[in-house]
Amino acid sequence: MSRVACIGECMVELKQADGGLFSRGYGGDTLNTAVYLARLGAGVDYITALGDDSLSEEMIAGWAAEGVGTASVARLAGKLPGLYMIQTDDKGERRFFHWRDSAAARSLMDLPQTPEILDSLASYDVIYLSAITLSLYGGEGRARLFGALRSAREAGARFAFDTNFRARGWPDLDVARDVFREAFATADIVLASTEDLLPLYPGVTNETLLARIPGAEVVLKLSEPASIVRLEGVPYPIKAKPVEEPVVDTTAAGDSFAAAYVAARLVGADPIEAARAGHRLAGVVVCHPGAIIPRAAMPPGLIPNHANSRKASP
């Protein structure tokens, strides 16, 4: 079985319920992707830091129940996970409120066990992280992580970068652009969107956004239900099938797209097939509240049936 490492942060999630109340769960962009990857049959480990509190214990148990490996989760005495709240409007568009400045995950690149965690990345087939992941760490921490990613790629791993951008995590947009530039130059697969990139590069065309990304395998998700897959410099437009149910919450649409894309590539699907799988899963996820949909709602036959499973390659 191919193995994926997802690096990032999981937080306590409060989402709207009936009567002005909120229900409690957990979520975070790369954790959402890890859960969907596990549901799609990939072997996946989540790499993060948590506290030694009951909420962190609940998260660990929940991930394990979903089939997500937790051996590389650092546990920090006296620390807590972050917290976020989702509000959605009548069109399903979401607004986030965060309490996470002192969350345990922010220390992941500065721990005694950090070198061992980073060295382990070379044992994976795919390493997946997002711009939100990179926003958690300071400059030195990001440098350690990028160095480990380059070493892992030399050992045969592939790095998939999701441009998931949240302005609150990047108070200096020039720093964000520099970090994005390094991530683009390092990544084997870039999963981008106009929603993420236009705040950094305002007023430019889709073609200009794609030109900023040098990689051979790039997906640019558009504002409409469509994407452009660029392979070796050639763009291929992809249209998503219409969503069949009412859209209630767009949380984790991009995270689930990434999971289906990576899972499809791991079993030998080409990038266009993988993007279609990503659109299909995202189209189901947005019809349910919260980041993680019920297991029973997962669409059947999502991943193309390739007889010979192999490591993702262009």
Side-chain angles (χ1 to χ4, degrees):
M1 177 186 290
S2 298
R3 299 178 66 225
V4 183
C6 293
I7 308 173
E9 178 184 24
C10 181
M11 292 173 283
V12 177
E13 176 190 86
L14 299 179
K15 63 185 177 184
Q16 286 177 315
D18 294 335
L21 301 176
F22 286 82
S23 62
R24 178 171 63 82
Y26 56 84
D29 64 335
T30 53
L31 185 277
N32 301 335
T33 299
V35 169
Y36 286 118
L37 276 166
R39 290 184 177 185
L40 294 171
V44 56
D45 292 334
Y46 197 56
I47 298 177
T48 189
L50 287 175
D52 57 355
D53 58 291
S54 59
L55 292 173
S56 295
E57 292 290 345
E58 182 180 303
M59 288 184 186
I60 291 283
W63 304 348
E66 286 282 0
V68 175
T70 61
S72 294
V73 178
R75 305 297 299 273
L76 308 182
K79 300 292 283 186
L80 292 168
L83 169 71
Y84 73 99
M85 183 174 68
I86 306 171
Q87 288 185 339
T88 53
D89 63 20
D90 55 5
K91 296 181 180 179
E93 291 301 322
R94 76 277 194 214
R95 183 182 182 192
F96 293 94
F97 301 86
H98 289 82
W99 296 264
R100 65 194 297 208
D101 289 348
S102 60
R106 291 182 172 272
S107 303
L108 183 63
M109 292 299 127
D110 302 298
L111 302 174
Q113 57 267 53
T114 298
E116 180 181 356
I117 290 171
L118 294 180
D119 287 346
S120 74
L121 297 181
S123 67
Y124 291 93
D125 297 297
V126 174
I127 304 157
Y128 171 86
L129 57 83
S130 73
I132 292 179
T133 305
L134 295 174
S135 74
L136 298 173
Y137 318 127
E140 292 183 2
R142 284 193 290 265
R144 293 187 193 101
L145 179 53
F146 277 123
L149 290 169
R150 287 188 283 268
S151 296
R153 292 178 71 242
E154 291 175 0
R158 290 170 60 78
F159 168 35
F161 173 59
D162 191 317
T163 61
N164 202 2
F165 175 79
R166 296 292 181 269
R168 70 181 66 85
W170 300 98
D172 187 331
L173 291 185
D174 287 333
V175 171
R177 294 183 189 102
D178 288 342
V179 173
F180 270 61
R181 189 179 303 113
E182 185 168 7
F184 291 155
T186 307
D188 299 283
I189 299 170
V190 175
L191 302 171
S193 75
T194 55
E195 180 184 8
D196 295 333
L197 296 185
L198 286 175
L200 288 172
Y201 315 107
V204 303
T205 64
N206 296 338
E207 291 74 20
T208 302
L209 291 176
L210 283 167
R212 289 185 172 275
I213 307 172
E217 183 173 339
V218 180
V219 181
L220 180 66
K221 291 166 284 179
L222 307 180
S223 56
E224 65 269 23
S227 62
I228 300 171
V229 176
R230 192 189 71 199
L231 301 175
E232 301 295 346
V234 180
Y236 298 89
I238 307 293
K239 280 195 173 183
K241 292 183 178 180
V243 175
E244 297 178 355
E245 302 292 335
V247 173
V248 299
D249 188 352
T250 58
T251 303
D255 310 334
S256 57
F257 180 100
Y261 187 93
V262 171
R265 295 291 281 127
L266 284 169
V267 298
D270 65 49
I272 293 173
E273 287 180 295
R276 293 191 190 282
H279 281 302
R280 185 180 172 203
L281 181 56
V284 173
V285 168
V286 298
C287 299
H288 294 80
I292 306 298
I293 65 175
R295 186 182 293 272
M298 293 289 293
L302 182 73
I303 301 303
N305 185 19
H306 290 259
N308 296 315
S309 178
R310 56 183 170 87
K311 191 194 311 187
S313 59

